[in-house]
Amino acid sequence: VWVVTARSDNEFCRSVMKPVLDKLYLSFVNVVFCNDKPKIEILEAINADIYFDNESKELNEINQFTNTIAVLWLN
């Protein structure tokens, strides 16, 4: 399981993410910080099978141009 985030790797972002990672029993080893680079590049690099996001803007591009299945996550 990877957490791919557009966030930058800095102390503030890590403090925001830490409670979520703890809840999911994950660590920062599982996090890829995109530093505002397109997530599609990272998903291709890690050969992701499925990608969940609550933002729909990138999902069509991911589904169209990669082998990754992008799914809209709604709360």
Side-chain angles (χ1 to χ4, degrees):
V1 174
W2 293 96
V3 176
V4 178
T5 179
R7 297 174 186 269
S8 297
D9 187 0
N10 59 49
E11 190 175 323
F12 173 77
C13 292
R14 283 178 173 259
S15 70
V16 170
M17 293 181 70
K18 177 80 170 110
V20 177
L21 293 172
D22 289 346
K23 194 173 191 180
L24 297 170
Y25 302 101
L26 297 173
S27 71
F28 284 101
V29 171
N30 303 87
V31 177
V32 178
F33 292 94
C34 292
N35 298 312
D36 295 321
K37 288 184 0 190
K39 290 180 187 175
I40 192 170
E41 293 176 13
I42 304 301
L43 295 172
E44 287 181 305
I46 63 173
N47 198 27
D49 294 317
I50 300 173
Y51 171 71
F52 296 92
D53 202 322
N54 61 344
E55 297 263 343
S56 62
K57 65 181 182 178
E58 293 179 273
L59 299 182
N60 289 335
E61 185 176 278
I62 291 166
N63 280 324
Q64 187 174 357
F65 297 111
T66 71
N67 292 327
T68 302
I69 300 168
V71 178
L72 183 62
W73 180 273
L74 301 174
N75 289 333

